[in-house]
């Protein structure tokens, strides 16, 4: 078994935390971001439940991913995933996990996200995450590829958010 990969991403977003949470949970914003801007072939909100304190959301996404040939042979056309998450209003934290179709329980991907206010109506998005693969022979490659794609996706989503709020103040 290979050791897990962990990383923390930090992005500045040019809107308040309240505005970013509003966008983050807006169905059309997510479809525009993933399909319209990031090149995903699918982004579907499967369900959303809100009890006033905790908002839960599940999305099915099929990204466009660059991966080594060894992983392509294993993954085939099963590049999608289900993102499940919970936002707890009192803590201001989004806890998320990904279930990748190709690897199921053999790959654990998850993390948290919080938004910290910055001067000038901006915020800092802090996203620690971990990737752990239990895939014989290619575990390290699967972890690195997964982590690289997560970093790229969150970097691209920050750029999209800043472009979006510039056009839609």
């Amino acid at each position: 078994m290979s050791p897990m990969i962990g990383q923390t991403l930090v992005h500045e977003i040019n809107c308040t935390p309240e505005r970013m949470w509003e966008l983050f949970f807006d169905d059309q914003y997510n479809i525009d971001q993933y399909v319209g801007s990031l090149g995903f072939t699918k982004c579907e909100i499967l369900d959303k439940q809100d009890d006033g304190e905790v908002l839960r959301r599940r999305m099915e996404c099929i990204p466009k991913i660059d991966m080594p040939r060894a992983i392509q042979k294993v993954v085939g056309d099963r590049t999608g995933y289900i993102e499940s998450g919970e936002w707890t209003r009192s803590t201001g934290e989004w806890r998320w996990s990904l279930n990748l179709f190709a690897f199921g329980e053999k790959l654990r991907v998850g993390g948290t996200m919080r938004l910290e206010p910055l001067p000038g109506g901006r915020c800092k998005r802090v996203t620690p995450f971990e990737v752990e693969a239990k895939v014989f022979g290619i575990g390290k490659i699967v972890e690195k590829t997964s982590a690289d794609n997560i970093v790229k996706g969150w970097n691209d989503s920050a750029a999209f958010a800043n472009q979006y709020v510039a056009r839609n103040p």
Side-chain angles (χ1 to χ4, degrees):
M1 183 170 78
S2 61
M4 108 180 52
I5 293 177
Q7 215 169 340
T8 298
L9 304 174
V10 178
H11 298 98
E12 288 191 16
I13 310 292
N14 297 324
C15 66
T16 64
E18 296 78 17
R19 173 79 166 130
M20 190 64 243
W21 286 123
E22 174 188 306
L23 293 172
F24 188 77
F25 293 112
D26 181 86
D27 295 353
Q28 192 58 54
Y29 173 86
N30 281 293
I31 292 166
D32 291 348
Q33 174 182 228
Y34 288 105
V35 177
S37 179
L38 303 183
F40 283 40
T41 57
K42 181 178 187 177
C43 174
E44 180 183 344
I45 289 65
L46 301 175
D47 59 75
K48 250 197 304 198
Q49 300 168 7
D50 189 350
D51 67 13
E53 168 59 9
V54 178
L55 190 153
R56 293 170 181 81
R57 179 182 69 192
R58 286 182 350 110
M59 291 192 317
E60 179 179 347
C61 297
I62 300 177
K64 190 176 81 177
I65 298 178
D66 295 323
M67 63 183 100
R69 189 175 304 264
I71 296 177
Q72 283 177 352
K73 289 180 180 181
V74 174
V75 171
D77 61 358
R78 299 171 296 152
T79 58
Y81 61 85
I82 302 286
E83 177 194 89
S84 301
E86 293 186 350
W87 178 48
T88 305
R89 286 177 174 84
S90 61
T91 63
E93 185 173 82
W94 169 251
R95 297 183 93 45
W96 57 273
S97 64
L98 302 181
N99 182 345
L100 281 75
F101 300 151
F103 295 104
E105 298 299 314
K106 293 180 179 182
L107 180 63
R108 189 181 62 78
V109 179
T112 60
M113 178 182 86
R114 69 181 186 281
L115 301 173
E116 301 172 1
L118 292 173
R122 299 174 13 249
C123 66
K124 177 168 58 170
R125 184 177 73 185
V126 180
T127 314
F129 73 90
E130 294 179 340
V131 177
E132 182 179 29
K134 297 177 183 176
V135 183
F136 181 74
I138 59 169
K140 255 182 135 60
I141 298 169
V142 170
E143 285 178 352
K144 182 176 180 346
T145 301
S146 298
D148 289 350
N149 279 291
I150 289 166
V151 169
K152 180 179 180 345
W154 284 86
N155 288 345
D156 290 349
S157 76
F160 177 81
N162 283 325
Q163 292 165 0
Y164 185 91
V165 296
R167 291 189 314 268
N168 303 280

